[in-house]
Amino acid sequence: MPDLSRMRRDYTSGRLTEEDLAPTWVEQFDRWFADVVAAELPEPNAVVVATADADGAPDARIVLMKGYDEAGFIFGTSYASAKGAQLAANPRAALVFPWHAIQRQVRVTGSVERIGDAASDGLWDPRPRGAQLAAVASVQSTVVDSREELTDRLRLLDEQTPDGPVPRPAVWGGYRVVPERVEFWQGGKDRLHDRLRFVRDDAEGGGWIVQRLAP
């Protein structure tokens, strides 16, 4: 077992100053997401989604972001999944984009809303048929006896479903995380990280202010 107390790397890739920051969080995210794609990181749109149930018990998992704009960040899932049940009881979430390879992360907190049928179709339709079949065959987050049970369900569904795209089931759809805070974290030498956070200021009609956070 390695000595975990000594397992670390220093961060020397750059700085994030107020002068360098884009005027809006979405423009800053555009810049950083372009950098991630250019760096050819695997799964650049992978994001940790943290939720909590009605009792406040936390839960987290990684999903793929499928869109973003000024209104928020979008991902798709089963409404019957564990996160779907948690969001029904407590419609708030936190996101983390863990771009360790370029010594950056983006953290988001906000409310969560469903995006509606037409927009959910827009997420479902580009999925490969195999992924569509798997989403229908698997009742997400439920206990199964074996992997063979899942593969048998998938095989039978494939045999019983006409060729071509599979219609989106009503239980599957998209969520939008509507940001209240968006933090841009740049790793710094000696752990003196740069943390700049956009905070929605509802008292000023929904405008945004920028805060620097201690690392």
Side-chain angles (χ1 to χ4, degrees):
M1 173 65 71
D3 182 354
L4 299 182
S5 68
R6 298 181 181 275
M7 186 178 289
R8 65 171 58 226
R9 56 179 294 189
D10 206 2
Y11 300 133
T12 58
S13 290
R15 293 284 312 280
L16 179 62
T17 67
E18 286 80 353
E19 292 74 20
D20 295 331
L21 196 68
T24 67
W25 72 259
V26 73
E27 291 174 274
Q28 184 64 37
F29 193 87
D30 284 341
R31 294 178 184 178
W32 275 21
F33 193 69
D35 290 343
V36 173
V37 173
E40 299 184 342
L41 269 62
E43 304 280 22
N45 57 329
V47 58
V48 179
V49 178
T51 53
D53 63 18
D55 294 326
D59 200 358
R61 75 292 290 161
I62 295 175
V63 304
L64 295 180
M65 175 186 66
K66 288 300 181 179
Y68 72 91
D69 57 20
E70 295 85 352
F73 299 86
I74 292 174
F75 65 91
T77 191
S78 168
Y79 295 142
S81 65
K83 58 184 169 297
Q86 291 156 3
L87 289 171
N90 184 2
R92 298 185 59 78
L95 307 179
V96 180
F97 292 88
W99 297 328
H100 302 122
I102 59 172
Q103 302 177 7
R104 291 174 178 172
Q105 60 179 303
V106 177
R107 303 173 61 212
V108 181
T109 56
S111 60
V112 182
E113 61 188 20
R114 294 188 183 187
I115 63 174
D117 289 339
S120 293
D121 287 342
L123 301 184
W124 176 266
D125 292 345
R127 292 166 65 97
R129 174 181 166 88
Q132 292 176 338
L133 287 167
V136 176
S138 171
V139 184
Q140 194 176 120
S141 303
T142 58
V143 176
V144 294
D145 291 333
S146 65
R147 182 174 178 82
E148 288 70 25
E149 178 183 342
L150 290 173
T151 56
D152 286 346
R153 286 185 200 170
L154 184 61
R155 176 181 54 80
L156 289 172
L157 183 63
D158 191 19
E159 293 172 354
Q160 297 167 0
T161 304
D163 292 340
V166 179
R168 179 180 63 86
V171 75
W172 193 99
Y175 287 102
R176 176 185 292 107
V177 179
V178 182
E180 296 169 3
R181 296 178 176 83
V182 184
E183 178 189 326
F184 294 88
W185 182 101
Q186 172 70 62
K189 183 175 175 57
D190 296 326
R191 296 302 191 261
L192 196 63
H193 313 307
D194 288 309
R195 299 176 60 189
L196 295 180
R197 181 174 68 181
F198 289 84
V199 179
R200 194 174 71 204
D201 188 358
D202 291 329
E204 297 296 329
W208 294 84
I209 59 174
V210 174
Q211 300 170 331
R212 174 171 285 272
L213 303 178

